[in-house]
Amino acid sequence: MKTEGIEGTERFQSPGKGRGLKATKHFKVGDLVFACPAYAYVLTVNERGGHCECCFTRREGLSKCGKCKQAYYCNVECQRGDWSMHKLECSAMCAYGENWCPSETVRLVARIILKQKCQTERTPSERVLTLRELEAHLDKLDNEKNEMNDTDIAALHHFYSRHLDFPDNAALTELFAQVNCNGFTIEDEELSHLGSAVFPDVALMNHSCSPNVIVTYKGTVAEVRAMQDISPEEEIFNSYIDLLYPTEDRIERLRDSYFFTCDCKECTSKSKVNFFQKYKRKKNLHLISCILPPSELLEICEISLEKMGSIFAETNVYMLHMMYQAMGVCLYMQDWDGAMKYGEKIIQPYSVHYPPYSLNVASMYLKLGRLYLGLEKRTQGVKALKKALAIMDVAHGKDHPYIAEIKKEMEEQK
Protein backbone atom coordinates (compact mmCIF):
# COMPACT_ATOMS: atom_id res chain seq x y z
CA MET A 1 0.00 0.00 0.00
CA LYS A 2 1.36 3.40 -0.98
CA THR A 3 1.55 6.26 1.49
CA GLU A 4 -1.74 8.05 0.89
CA GLY A 5 -1.99 10.12 4.05
CA ILE A 6 -5.26 11.00 5.76
CA GLU A 7 -7.51 13.51 4.01
CA GLY A 8 -7.79 16.77 5.93
CA THR A 9 -4.67 16.08 7.99
CA GLU A 10 -0.91 16.09 7.61
CA ARG A 11 1.99 14.60 9.52
CA PHE A 12 4.43 17.30 10.63
CA GLN A 13 7.15 18.17 13.14
CA SER A 14 5.41 19.66 16.14
CA PRO A 15 7.55 22.29 17.94
CA GLY A 16 8.94 20.76 21.12
CA LYS A 17 6.99 17.52 20.68
CA GLY A 18 8.52 15.74 17.70
CA ARG A 19 6.25 14.36 15.03
CA GLY A 20 2.53 15.00 15.23
CA LEU A 21 -0.66 15.40 13.21
CA LYS A 22 -2.19 18.70 12.13
CA ALA A 23 -5.37 19.71 10.33
CA THR A 24 -5.25 20.95 6.74
CA LYS A 25 -8.94 21.87 6.69
CA HIS A 26 -11.59 23.05 9.15
CA PHE A 27 -13.31 20.47 11.36
CA LYS A 28 -16.47 21.29 13.29
CA VAL A 29 -17.43 19.74 16.64
CA GLY A 30 -18.57 16.17 16.00
CA ASP A 31 -16.87 15.84 12.59
CA LEU A 32 -15.10 12.57 11.90
CA VAL A 33 -11.44 13.55 11.45
CA PHE A 34 -10.39 10.03 10.44
CA ALA A 35 -10.99 6.35 11.11
CA CYS A 36 -8.26 3.76 11.58
CA PRO A 37 -8.68 -0.04 11.52
CA ALA A 38 -6.62 -1.89 14.11
CA TYR A 39 -3.27 -3.18 12.89
CA ALA A 40 -3.71 -6.03 15.38
CA TYR A 41 -6.13 -6.62 18.23
CA VAL A 42 -7.32 -9.17 20.81
CA LEU A 43 -10.63 -9.56 22.60
CA THR A 44 -10.15 -9.76 26.35
CA VAL A 45 -10.73 -13.26 27.76
CA ASN A 46 -13.52 -12.10 30.08
CA GLU A 47 -15.67 -11.00 27.11
CA ARG A 48 -15.50 -14.32 25.26
CA GLY A 49 -18.97 -15.61 24.55
CA GLY A 50 -20.49 -12.13 24.64
CA HIS A 51 -18.55 -10.53 21.77
CA CYS A 52 -17.34 -11.79 18.41
CA GLU A 53 -13.58 -12.40 18.38
CA CYS A 54 -13.34 -10.98 14.86
CA CYS A 55 -15.52 -7.87 14.77
CA PHE A 56 -16.21 -7.33 18.52
CA THR A 57 -19.97 -7.24 17.86
CA ARG A 58 -21.98 -7.77 21.05
CA ARG A 59 -24.80 -10.21 20.54
CA GLU A 60 -26.43 -13.39 21.78
CA GLY A 61 -26.23 -16.73 20.03
CA LEU A 62 -22.60 -16.54 18.91
CA SER A 63 -21.08 -19.73 17.50
CA LYS A 64 -18.01 -21.18 19.18
CA CYS A 65 -14.85 -22.45 17.52
CA GLY A 66 -15.25 -26.19 17.02
CA LYS A 67 -11.65 -26.92 17.97
CA CYS A 68 -10.80 -24.88 21.07
CA LYS A 69 -14.45 -24.14 22.00
CA GLN A 70 -13.37 -20.86 23.61
CA ALA A 71 -13.56 -18.32 20.77
CA TYR A 72 -16.98 -17.15 19.57
CA TYR A 73 -18.08 -15.66 16.25
CA CYS A 74 -21.08 -14.01 14.60
CA ASN A 75 -20.99 -16.39 11.64
CA VAL A 76 -18.72 -18.39 9.33
CA GLU A 77 -17.47 -15.21 7.64
CA CYS A 78 -16.20 -13.77 10.93
CA GLN A 79 -14.60 -17.08 11.89
CA ARG A 80 -12.80 -17.29 8.55
CA GLY A 81 -11.78 -13.64 8.83
CA ASP A 82 -10.16 -14.23 12.22
CA TRP A 83 -8.62 -17.63 11.50
CA SER A 84 -5.23 -16.33 10.39
CA MET A 85 -4.81 -14.86 13.89
CA HIS A 86 -6.93 -17.21 16.00
CA LYS A 87 -5.09 -20.31 14.79
CA LEU A 88 -2.13 -19.18 16.92
CA GLU A 89 -4.21 -19.27 20.10
CA CYS A 90 -6.44 -22.14 19.06
CA SER A 91 -3.55 -24.59 18.88
CA ALA A 92 -1.94 -23.19 22.02
CA MET A 93 -5.15 -23.32 24.04
CA CYS A 94 -5.74 -26.92 23.02
CA ALA A 95 -2.17 -27.82 23.91
CA TYR A 96 -2.08 -26.09 27.32
CA GLY A 97 -5.70 -26.48 28.39
CA GLU A 98 -6.38 -24.74 31.70
CA ASN A 99 -2.70 -23.77 31.95
CA TRP A 100 -3.00 -21.40 28.97
CA CYS A 101 -2.76 -17.94 30.56
CA PRO A 102 -0.66 -15.40 28.60
CA SER A 103 -1.35 -11.74 29.37
CA GLU A 104 -3.33 -9.64 26.92
CA THR A 105 -0.15 -7.81 25.93
CA VAL A 106 1.60 -11.09 25.13
CA ARG A 107 -1.38 -12.21 23.05
CA LEU A 108 -1.35 -8.92 21.14
CA VAL A 109 2.39 -9.05 20.47
CA ALA A 110 2.07 -12.63 19.17
CA ARG A 111 -0.49 -11.41 16.64
CA ILE A 112 1.70 -8.48 15.62
CA ILE A 113 4.64 -10.79 14.98
CA LEU A 114 2.48 -13.06 12.83
CA LYS A 115 1.07 -10.12 10.89
CA GLN A 116 4.54 -8.67 10.26
CA LYS A 117 5.59 -11.99 8.72
CA CYS A 118 2.49 -12.18 6.50
CA GLN A 119 2.04 -8.50 5.68
CA THR A 120 5.09 -6.84 4.20
CA GLU A 121 3.36 -3.84 2.63
CA ARG A 122 2.04 -0.79 4.44
CA THR A 123 -1.46 -1.44 5.85
CA PRO A 124 -4.58 0.80 6.01
CA SER A 125 -3.69 1.33 9.70
CA GLU A 126 -0.40 2.99 8.69
CA ARG A 127 -1.33 5.81 6.33
CA VAL A 128 0.81 8.37 8.19
CA LEU A 129 2.83 6.29 10.66
CA THR A 130 4.05 2.70 10.40
CA LEU A 131 4.06 0.32 13.32
CA ARG A 132 7.86 0.04 13.13
CA GLU A 133 8.09 3.82 13.63
CA LEU A 134 6.32 3.72 17.01
CA GLU A 135 8.40 5.08 19.87
CA ALA A 136 9.86 2.47 22.25
CA HIS A 137 11.79 4.77 24.63
CA LEU A 138 14.14 1.91 25.49
CA ASP A 139 16.68 4.30 27.00
CA LYS A 140 14.06 5.55 29.49
CA LEU A 141 12.85 2.21 30.84
CA ASP A 142 13.60 1.62 34.51
CA ASN A 143 14.45 -1.75 36.07
CA GLU A 144 10.82 -2.54 36.83
CA LYS A 145 9.70 -1.97 33.24
CA ASN A 146 12.66 -3.96 31.90
CA GLU A 147 11.76 -6.84 34.20
CA MET A 148 8.15 -6.71 33.00
CA ASN A 149 9.35 -6.87 29.40
CA ASP A 150 11.56 -9.85 30.21
CA THR A 151 8.62 -11.61 31.87
CA ASP A 152 6.43 -10.98 28.82
CA ILE A 153 9.11 -12.26 26.46
CA ALA A 154 9.46 -15.44 28.53
CA ALA A 155 5.67 -15.95 28.44
CA LEU A 156 5.62 -15.38 24.68
CA HIS A 157 8.23 -18.10 24.18
CA HIS A 158 6.47 -20.43 26.61
CA PHE A 159 2.99 -20.23 25.09
CA TYR A 160 3.70 -19.64 21.40
CA SER A 161 7.09 -21.24 20.57
CA ARG A 162 5.47 -24.29 18.95
CA HIS A 163 3.43 -22.16 16.58
CA LEU A 164 5.45 -19.00 15.89
CA ASP A 165 8.98 -18.07 14.85
CA PHE A 166 10.31 -15.16 16.91
CA PRO A 167 12.72 -12.34 16.13
CA ASP A 168 15.71 -12.01 18.46
CA ASN A 169 15.34 -10.77 22.04
CA ALA A 170 16.45 -7.23 21.20
CA ALA A 171 13.69 -6.93 18.61
CA LEU A 172 11.16 -8.45 21.03
CA THR A 173 12.18 -6.02 23.76
CA GLU A 174 11.63 -3.10 21.41
CA LEU A 175 8.27 -4.45 20.22
CA PHE A 176 6.93 -4.95 23.74
CA ALA A 177 8.09 -1.44 24.66
CA GLN A 178 6.36 -0.04 21.57
CA VAL A 179 3.10 -1.81 22.42
CA ASN A 180 3.21 -0.77 26.09
CA CYS A 181 3.71 2.87 25.14
CA ASN A 182 1.41 3.00 22.10
CA GLY A 183 -1.26 0.37 22.66
CA PHE A 184 -4.94 1.23 23.05
CA THR A 185 -7.70 -0.20 25.20
CA ILE A 186 -10.91 -0.80 23.27
CA GLU A 187 -13.90 0.02 25.49
CA ASP A 188 -17.67 -0.22 25.20
CA GLU A 189 -20.21 2.53 25.80
CA GLU A 190 -19.86 2.21 29.59
CA LEU A 191 -16.05 2.25 29.29
CA SER A 192 -15.81 -1.45 30.16
CA HIS A 193 -12.67 -3.12 28.82
CA LEU A 194 -13.24 -5.16 25.65
CA GLY A 195 -9.73 -5.71 24.38
CA SER A 196 -6.37 -4.29 23.34
CA ALA A 197 -5.12 -3.08 19.97
CA VAL A 198 -2.55 -1.02 18.13
CA PHE A 199 -3.62 1.82 15.81
CA PRO A 200 -0.40 3.36 14.42
CA ASP A 201 -2.08 6.38 12.78
CA VAL A 202 -3.98 7.20 15.98
CA ALA A 203 -0.74 6.91 17.98
CA LEU A 204 0.78 9.73 15.90
CA MET A 205 -1.39 12.32 17.68
CA ASN A 206 0.32 14.10 20.55
CA HIS A 207 -1.22 14.51 23.99
CA SER A 208 -2.95 17.50 25.53
CA CYS A 209 -4.89 17.74 28.80
CA SER A 210 -7.26 19.94 26.81
CA PRO A 211 -7.67 17.74 23.73
CA ASN A 212 -9.52 18.82 20.59
CA VAL A 213 -10.43 15.27 19.50
CA ILE A 214 -11.69 12.11 21.15
CA VAL A 215 -11.16 8.46 20.16
CA THR A 216 -14.06 6.01 20.21
CA TYR A 217 -14.41 2.53 18.76
CA LYS A 218 -16.76 0.95 16.26
CA GLY A 219 -15.88 -2.71 16.57
CA THR A 220 -12.14 -2.90 15.90
CA VAL A 221 -11.97 0.46 14.12
CA ALA A 222 -10.87 3.58 16.01
CA GLU A 223 -12.77 6.75 15.10
CA VAL A 224 -11.30 10.18 15.83
CA ARG A 225 -13.85 12.99 16.15
CA ALA A 226 -13.45 16.72 16.77
CA MET A 227 -14.53 17.85 20.24
CA GLN A 228 -13.63 21.46 19.50
CA ASP A 229 -13.60 23.43 16.27
CA ILE A 230 -10.21 22.78 14.62
CA SER A 231 -8.74 25.24 12.14
CA PRO A 232 -6.32 24.51 9.28
CA GLU A 233 -2.68 24.27 10.50
CA GLU A 234 -3.87 23.60 14.07
CA GLU A 235 -2.36 20.54 15.73
CA ILE A 236 -4.70 17.65 16.52
CA PHE A 237 -4.42 16.56 20.14
CA ASN A 238 -5.73 13.47 21.89
CA SER A 239 -5.66 12.77 25.63
CA TYR A 240 -3.60 9.78 26.78
CA ILE A 241 -4.88 9.69 30.37
CA ASP A 242 -7.87 10.24 32.65
CA LEU A 243 -8.27 14.01 32.85
CA LEU A 244 -9.97 14.00 36.24
CA TYR A 245 -6.64 13.92 38.08
CA PRO A 246 -5.03 17.16 39.34
CA THR A 247 -2.13 18.68 37.43
CA GLU A 248 0.78 17.15 39.34
CA ASP A 249 -0.76 13.68 39.12
CA ARG A 250 -1.36 13.99 35.38
CA ILE A 251 2.21 15.13 34.81
CA GLU A 252 3.55 12.22 36.87
CA ARG A 253 1.38 9.66 35.08
CA LEU A 254 2.47 10.95 31.68
CA ARG A 255 6.13 10.84 32.66
CA ASP A 256 5.82 7.30 33.99
CA SER A 257 3.91 5.82 31.05
CA TYR A 258 4.82 8.04 28.09
CA PHE A 259 8.16 9.58 29.10
CA PHE A 260 7.48 13.27 28.55
CA THR A 261 6.57 16.30 30.64
CA CYS A 262 3.29 17.84 29.57
CA ASP A 263 3.43 21.59 28.95
CA CYS A 264 -0.11 22.13 27.68
CA LYS A 265 -2.05 25.18 28.89
CA GLU A 266 -4.01 23.04 31.34
CA CYS A 267 -0.77 21.94 33.01
CA THR A 268 1.14 25.19 32.89
CA SER A 269 -1.81 27.08 34.39
CA LYS A 270 -2.31 24.30 37.00
CA SER A 271 -6.06 24.80 36.92
CA LYS A 272 -6.57 21.54 38.79
CA VAL A 273 -4.35 21.94 41.81
CA ASN A 274 -3.24 18.87 43.72
CA PHE A 275 -4.56 19.76 47.16
CA PHE A 276 -4.95 16.22 48.43
CA GLN A 277 -1.36 15.07 48.56
CA LYS A 278 -1.52 13.36 51.95
CA TYR A 279 -4.14 10.87 50.76
CA LYS A 280 -2.62 10.45 47.37
CA ARG A 281 -1.35 6.90 47.69
CA LYS A 282 -2.89 5.65 50.89
CA LYS A 283 -4.38 2.57 49.22
CA ASN A 284 -3.83 0.87 45.91
CA LEU A 285 -7.39 -0.30 45.36
CA HIS A 286 -6.52 -2.24 42.23
CA LEU A 287 -4.10 -4.45 44.16
CA ILE A 288 -6.42 -4.73 47.13
CA SER A 289 -9.31 -5.76 44.87
CA CYS A 290 -7.24 -8.72 43.67
CA ILE A 291 -7.00 -10.23 47.16
CA LEU A 292 -10.07 -9.04 49.11
CA PRO A 293 -13.70 -10.12 48.72
CA PRO A 294 -15.98 -7.37 47.33
CA SER A 295 -17.76 -6.75 50.64
CA GLU A 296 -14.45 -5.95 52.36
CA LEU A 297 -13.32 -3.78 49.48
CA LEU A 298 -16.57 -1.83 49.70
CA GLU A 299 -16.02 -1.37 53.44
CA ILE A 300 -12.53 0.04 52.75
CA CYS A 301 -14.05 2.51 50.26
CA GLU A 302 -16.73 3.57 52.73
CA ILE A 303 -14.27 4.05 55.60
CA SER A 304 -11.94 6.04 53.35
CA LEU A 305 -14.81 8.20 52.13
CA GLU A 306 -15.92 8.87 55.70
CA LYS A 307 -12.44 10.02 56.75
CA MET A 308 -11.89 12.05 53.60
CA GLY A 309 -15.38 13.54 53.79
CA SER A 310 -14.64 15.09 57.17
CA ILE A 311 -12.08 17.32 55.45
CA PHE A 312 -13.02 17.60 51.79
CA ALA A 313 -16.15 18.25 49.77
CA GLU A 314 -17.72 15.44 47.76
CA THR A 315 -16.68 17.26 44.59
CA ASN A 316 -12.99 16.67 45.42
CA VAL A 317 -11.44 14.59 42.64
CA TYR A 318 -10.04 11.94 44.99
CA MET A 319 -13.42 11.64 46.67
CA LEU A 320 -14.88 11.10 43.20
CA HIS A 321 -12.32 8.41 42.38
CA MET A 322 -13.11 6.61 45.63
CA MET A 323 -16.87 6.86 45.00
CA TYR A 324 -16.34 5.48 41.50
CA GLN A 325 -14.50 2.49 42.99
CA ALA A 326 -17.33 1.99 45.47
CA MET A 327 -19.92 2.19 42.71
CA GLY A 328 -18.04 -0.43 40.72
CA VAL A 329 -18.00 -2.80 43.70
CA CYS A 330 -21.75 -2.24 44.25
CA LEU A 331 -22.42 -3.09 40.59
CA TYR A 332 -20.32 -6.25 40.92
CA MET A 333 -22.26 -7.23 44.06
CA GLN A 334 -25.57 -6.37 42.33
CA ASP A 335 -26.30 -3.80 45.00
CA TRP A 336 -28.26 -1.61 42.60
CA ASP A 337 -29.44 0.91 45.19
CA GLY A 338 -25.89 1.38 46.47
CA ALA A 339 -24.55 1.84 42.94
CA MET A 340 -27.30 4.38 42.20
CA LYS A 341 -26.46 6.31 45.37
CA TYR A 342 -22.83 6.70 44.36
CA GLY A 343 -23.66 7.47 40.74
CA GLU A 344 -25.96 10.31 41.78
CA LYS A 345 -23.16 11.84 43.84
CA ILE A 346 -20.63 11.50 41.02
CA ILE A 347 -22.47 12.74 37.95
CA GLN A 348 -22.68 16.51 38.56
CA PRO A 349 -19.02 16.95 39.65
CA TYR A 350 -18.01 14.84 36.63
CA SER A 351 -19.85 17.27 34.38
CA VAL A 352 -17.80 20.12 35.87
CA HIS A 353 -14.36 18.48 36.01
CA TYR A 354 -14.36 16.76 32.60
CA PRO A 355 -14.30 18.60 29.26
CA PRO A 356 -17.42 18.80 27.05
CA TYR A 357 -18.47 15.56 25.33
CA SER A 358 -16.51 13.45 27.82
CA LEU A 359 -16.97 9.69 27.54
CA ASN A 360 -16.65 9.49 31.32
CA VAL A 361 -19.68 11.71 31.76
CA ALA A 362 -21.65 9.87 29.06
CA SER A 363 -20.87 6.47 30.59
CA MET A 364 -21.95 7.65 34.03
CA TYR A 365 -25.28 8.91 32.66
CA LEU A 366 -25.68 5.55 30.91
CA LYS A 367 -25.00 3.54 34.05
CA LEU A 368 -27.38 5.71 36.06
CA GLY A 369 -30.06 5.53 33.37
CA ARG A 370 -29.92 1.75 33.24
CA LEU A 371 -29.91 1.53 37.04
CA TYR A 372 -32.99 3.77 37.22
CA LEU A 373 -34.82 1.66 34.65
CA GLY A 374 -33.88 -1.53 36.47
CA LEU A 375 -35.26 -0.05 39.68
CA GLU A 376 -38.45 0.99 37.84
CA LYS A 377 -37.63 4.71 37.98
CA ARG A 378 -38.68 5.18 34.36
CA THR A 379 -38.76 8.99 34.15
CA GLN A 380 -35.33 9.39 35.72
CA GLY A 381 -33.95 6.56 33.60
CA VAL A 382 -35.08 7.99 30.28
CA LYS A 383 -33.85 11.46 31.28
CA ALA A 384 -30.36 10.11 32.11
CA LEU A 385 -30.20 8.11 28.86
CA LYS A 386 -31.12 11.24 26.87
CA LYS A 387 -28.22 13.10 28.49
CA ALA A 388 -25.88 10.25 27.61
CA LEU A 389 -27.13 10.31 24.01
CA ALA A 390 -26.55 14.06 23.72
CA ILE A 391 -22.85 13.45 24.38
CA MET A 392 -22.56 10.22 22.38
CA ASP A 393 -24.17 11.73 19.28
CA VAL A 394 -21.08 13.94 19.07
CA ALA A 395 -18.40 11.61 20.48
CA HIS A 396 -19.49 8.39 18.73
CA GLY A 397 -21.43 9.73 15.76
CA LYS A 398 -25.17 9.41 15.22
CA ASP A 399 -24.83 6.17 13.21
CA HIS A 400 -22.94 4.22 15.90
CA PRO A 401 -24.55 0.89 16.93
CA TYR A 402 -24.41 1.94 20.60
CA ILE A 403 -26.69 4.89 19.78
CA ALA A 404 -29.23 2.55 18.19
CA GLU A 405 -29.10 0.22 21.20
CA ILE A 406 -29.77 3.02 23.68
CA LYS A 407 -32.61 4.42 21.60
CA LYS A 408 -34.14 0.94 21.54
CA GLU A 409 -33.90 0.80 25.34
CA MET A 410 -35.76 4.10 25.53
CA GLU A 411 -38.44 2.98 23.04
CA GLU A 412 -39.12 -0.08 25.18
CA GLN A 413 -40.13 2.23 28.04
CA LYS A 414 -43.07 3.70 26.11
Side-chain angles (χ1 to χ4, degrees):
M1 179 180 176
K2 295 180 180 179
T3 305
E4 298 177 356
I6 298 172
E7 184 182 357
T9 72
E10 183 179 286
R11 175 173 165 170
F12 80 120
Q13 284 299 116
S14 177
K17 300 181 186 298
R19 61 200 179 199
L21 192 69
K22 68 178 180 180
T24 58
K25 70 175 189 179
H26 182 260
F27 291 100
K28 302 189 304 296
V29 171
D31 281 353
L32 179 66
V33 179
F34 70 96
C36 177
Y39 179 93
Y41 59 89
V42 288
L43 181 73
T44 193
V45 171
N46 291 338
E47 293 298 332
R48 281 185 163 158
H51 289 77
C52 175
E53 294 266 345
C54 180
C55 67
F56 278 32
T57 295
R58 178 175 59 203
R59 56 178 290 186
E60 296 180 358
L62 295 170
S63 301
K64 67 174 66 174
C65 171
K67 187 177 180 182
C68 70
K69 297 181 171 35
Q70 294 191 51
Y72 289 76
Y73 298 95
C74 296
N75 47 43
V76 174
E77 286 72 25
C78 278
Q79 187 169 8
R80 286 174 179 165
D82 191 50
W83 177 243
S84 63
M85 291 294 157
H86 174 61
K87 64 183 178 182
L88 264 179
E89 294 192 342
C90 192
S91 300
M93 284 190 289
C94 291
Y96 285 95
E98 293 182 357
N99 295 320
W100 187 82
C101 56
S103 70
E104 205 161 294
T105 302
V106 170
R107 294 173 59 210
L108 181 58
V109 167
R111 291 185 172 216
I112 292 172
I113 293 170
L114 180 61
K115 181 154 187 174
Q116 286 179 329
K117 291 182 182 299
C118 304
Q119 180 87 42
T120 55
E121 294 184 357
R122 204 173 184 123
T123 69
S125 311
E126 305 169 290
R127 287 177 290 172
V128 288
L129 185 73
T130 66
L131 185 134
R132 295 181 189 278
E133 288 182 284
L134 295 176
E135 292 283 0
H137 298 291
L138 291 175
D139 59 325
K140 298 173 184 174
L141 300 182
D142 57 23
N143 289 336
E144 183 181 356
K145 288 184 172 63
N146 281 319
E147 288 175 7
M148 288 175 60
N149 276 347
D150 290 342
T151 300
D152 282 340
I153 290 171
L156 182 72
H157 280 283
H158 178 74
F159 289 108
Y160 292 95
S161 58
R162 302 180 195 177
H163 317 287
L164 190 63
D165 294 325
F166 304 115
D168 60 34
N169 265 26
L172 285 176
T173 298
E174 181 175 13
L175 181 55
F176 271 105
Q178 288 173 314
V179 170
N180 286 328
C181 192
N182 297 278
F184 287 80
T185 295
I186 297 179
E187 297 169 325
D188 68 9
E189 77 278 28
E190 291 190 1
L191 301 187
S192 295
H193 180 78
L194 296 183
S196 298
V198 282
F199 302 95
D201 286 345
V202 183
L204 177 61
M205 293 185 292
N206 286 314
H207 166 85
S208 172
C209 297
S210 181
N212 51 16
V213 299
I214 198 166
V215 181
T216 57
Y217 303 95
K218 187 180 286 184
T220 61
V221 175
E223 295 188 330
V224 179
R225 281 189 164 77
M227 295 297 103
Q228 302 174 19
D229 285 343
I230 304 174
S231 302
E233 299 302 311
E234 186 177 346
E235 183 162 5
I236 299 170
F237 288 109
N238 182 29
S239 173
Y240 295 175
I241 58 170
D242 187 345
L243 296 175
L244 187 60
Y245 288 98
T247 303
E248 292 179 12
D249 281 20
R250 296 198 312 274
I251 290 173
E252 184 177 340
R253 287 166 185 268
L254 289 166
R255 281 178 185 156
D256 182 62
S257 298
Y258 302 101
F259 311 103
F260 70 90
T261 299
C262 186
D263 60 356
C264 71
K265 290 181 180 178
E266 194 76 12
C267 287
T268 52
S269 66
K270 294 196 174 183
S271 60
K272 290 180 184 172
V273 180
N274 186 355
F275 49 86
F276 199 23
Q277 191 73 24
K278 70 184 240 183
Y279 280 101
K280 189 173 174 182
R281 289 186 181 79
K282 274 258 180 164
K283 288 180 168 48
N284 186 329
L285 287 178
H286 175 71
L287 292 177
I288 292 173
S289 66
C290 295
I291 57 177
L292 286 183
S295 58
E296 291 185 30
L297 179 59
L298 181 59
E299 185 178 357
I300 288 174
C301 291
E302 290 172 342
I303 291 171
S304 298
L305 283 167
E306 183 179 352
K307 291 181 178 180
M308 292 155 59
S310 65
I311 306 171
F312 300 104
E314 288 186 342
T315 56
N316 175 274
V317 293
Y318 289 104
M319 290 282 285
L320 292 172
H321 278 297
M322 190 65 70
M323 283 190 277
Y324 185 82
Q325 294 279 351
M327 183 182 182
V329 178
C330 287
L331 289 170
Y332 181 81
M333 296 170 62
Q334 298 186 4
D335 175 5
W336 310 130
D337 286 302
M340 181 185 68
K341 177 189 72 174
Y342 285 115
E344 288 174 337
K345 290 181 179 180
I346 290 170
I347 188 60
Q348 290 307 319
Y350 262 31
S351 301
V352 173
H353 285 301
Y354 280 111
Y357 312 111
S358 164
L359 297 180
N360 300 79
V361 178
S363 71
M364 187 55 62
Y365 274 124
L366 263 181
K367 289 174 183 175
L368 267 177
R370 288 167 172 169
L371 281 168
Y372 285 139
L373 294 181
L375 293 169
E376 299 185 354
K377 298 176 183 288
R378 181 190 169 278
T379 302
Q380 291 168 277
V382 171
K383 183 178 179 181
L385 292 183
K386 285 182 177 178
K387 289 186 176 181
L389 278 178
I391 298 171
M392 294 176 67
D393 277 346
V394 176
H396 289 79
K398 294 180 183 296
D399 64 342
H400 198 287
Y402 290 152
I403 303 288
E405 287 181 18
I406 297 165
K407 287 182 176 178
K408 184 178 178 182
E409 291 177 50
M410 294 169 63
E411 284 292 323
E412 291 171 351
Q413 300 303 312
K414 293 182 178 179

